[in-house]
Amino acid sequence: MSEQAPAGWSAGERARRQRERADRLADSAARWEKGAEGEAATAAVLAQLPPDQWTVFHDLRWPGRKFANVDHIVVGPPGVFVIDSKNWSGSIRVDGDVLRVNGRARDRDVAAAAEAAIAVSQLAPTVTPQQVLPVLCFVRDDDMLAGWARDVMICSTSNLLTMLRTRPAALSDEERQSIGLELDGSMRSMAEPASYAATRLPPRGGRAAGRPASTTRRRRSRKKQAPVGQLVVAALALTFAFVPAVREPATEWLVSRFVTGTATTGESETAPRAGECPTNAPVKGFTNARGKQVYLAPGARRYAAVDADRCFVDAAAATKAGFVAVRGG
């Protein structure tokens, strides 16, 4: 005779599987709750920005993606900041240009922040890609957590306002208002939560009760359109693969910024990062104690001690912008 399963074995096995599934759902819910708390903490910090100079958006759908979201978008004098809140525990630091959490590199999270900034830059024709900065903000009281992982700003909720406010001004009042209106018009519908009745599948043989025919037609037409992100990636892939000789300046910047980690835009100047200039624009321009605009080139005696307001590709570009060389370095 073959061995028989003990009494209640099948019911017990089903109970075990359901408990394991319940544990996984509880862990997932706890992670989502922790993320929501982190976004709320970052939003509370951003609420301290003066509304007459800064415009803040929260919890917007990621353009071109169905389920992903952008935590915060901030428009202010220094530009547009696309902020991803991270409520993580453990040791977090920036080693060179690499973000490390408990010693492990988190390049994927850095790349995701950069991709979100690219997607947002497509929505506001007034803004240039150089004026859209990705930010990873960690919810913790740590003023020392500050730096850059490639071109992604790394900060904490305790120094977020300082890092935003101390960036050099890049937008006029008119430009800020225009960008704010463009983003509001592009992303308002993404931010509106859809009701269950509007998102559930229609019953067989007809459309969902209470839904007008025009909404159904609109829904079908949208399915035929490729997401914005896929179109951008496809266009860039074709450009890089088949016509490298006709890359536009914005495309060249996109490649250099998020692939090589530099910002070779072909322009004569660029904005500094935390007072330092990139290798492709090493000349530091700043205002001295007398209120005069001056510059220092690499190798000058005081070069390392000076925080730059503007960065130039060479001394000629600095002179053209109205800066004069510091005597004696």
Side-chain angles (χ1 to χ4, degrees):
M1 294 179 62
S2 59
E3 295 185 2
Q4 295 183 354
W9 179 86
S10 60
E13 183 66 14
R14 177 171 294 183
R16 182 186 65 80
R17 291 196 298 267
Q18 290 185 352
R19 289 188 182 280
E20 289 179 350
R21 181 170 180 268
D23 290 341
R24 290 194 298 270
L25 289 174
D27 290 342
S28 176
R31 289 193 297 270
W32 281 105
E33 288 173 348
K34 189 174 182 180
E37 292 171 358
E39 292 182 31
T42 303
V45 173
L46 295 174
Q48 302 175 46
L49 292 169
D52 59 327
Q53 297 181 9
W54 300 79
T55 303
V56 183
F57 303 88
H58 300 295
D59 201 9
L60 304 171
R61 294 187 188 179
W62 187 316
R65 297 194 182 185
K66 188 174 182 180
F67 300 109
N69 78 309
V70 176
D71 293 343
H72 320 275
I73 299 177
V74 179
V75 183
V80 180
F81 300 88
V82 181
I83 304 174
D84 186 4
S85 296
K86 297 295 186 185
N87 195 6
W88 291 353
S89 57
S91 171
I92 303 174
R93 62 188 177 90
V94 180
D95 185 7
D97 63 350
V98 179
L99 173 66
R100 296 188 181 277
V101 179
N102 293 327
R104 299 184 61 181
R106 300 302 295 260
D107 294 336
R108 180 176 297 179
D109 298 284
V110 172
E115 290 173 7
I118 295 174
V120 171
S121 69
Q122 308 295 320
L123 301 178
T126 301
V127 73
T128 65
Q130 295 92 329
Q131 295 169 329
V132 182
L133 296 179
V135 181
L136 280 174
C137 181
F138 294 91
V139 180
R140 56 179 55 199
D141 186 13
D142 185 358
D143 288 333
M144 300 304 294
L145 181 56
W148 294 81
R150 288 192 175 267
D151 280 324
V152 177
M153 180 189 294
I154 307 298
C155 66
S156 68
T157 45
S158 62
N159 60 24
L160 173 60
L161 293 184
T162 299
M163 295 193 71
L164 295 183
R165 287 170 169 168
T166 56
R167 296 283 302 168
L171 300 176
S172 65
D173 292 342
E174 293 76 12
E175 288 173 326
R176 286 190 284 109
Q177 293 174 5
S178 178
I179 293 170
L181 290 173
E182 289 169 350
L183 290 176
D184 184 53
S186 299
M187 306 190 76
R188 182 187 294 117
S189 60
M190 298 177 186
E192 292 172 356
S195 65
Y196 171 76
T199 56
R200 63 184 176 183
L201 293 176
R204 294 182 181 179
R207 62 179 183 269
R211 177 185 297 168
S214 59
T215 304
T216 304
R217 287 196 298 271
R218 209 163 43 239
R219 190 179 173 90
R220 289 173 181 169
S221 64
R222 285 174 181 169
K223 291 182 179 180
K224 297 178 182 179
Q225 300 175 359
V228 174
Q230 293 181 8
L231 293 176
V232 172
V233 172
L236 290 177
L238 289 174
T239 303
F240 302 156
F242 300 109
V243 285
V246 295
R247 292 178 182 170
E248 297 180 358
T251 304
E252 294 236 351
W253 171 84
L254 201 61
V255 176
S256 64
R257 179 176 179 182
F258 298 114
V259 177
T260 66
T262 62
T264 51
T265 65
E267 298 178 355
S268 60
E269 67 174 275
T270 187
R273 298 191 315 187
E276 295 301 321
C277 291
T279 56
N280 61 300
V283 177
K284 290 184 175 181
F286 60 99
T287 303
N288 64 14
R290 297 181 179 180
K292 189 175 182 180
Q293 291 184 316
V294 295
Y295 71 84
L296 282 173
R301 179 170 52 85
R302 297 177 50 211
Y303 182 84
V306 169
D307 289 337
D309 296 324
R310 295 163 68 177
C311 299
F312 302 94
V313 296
D314 52 29
T319 301
K320 186 177 180 179
F323 288 70
V324 298
V326 175
R327 293 183 179 179

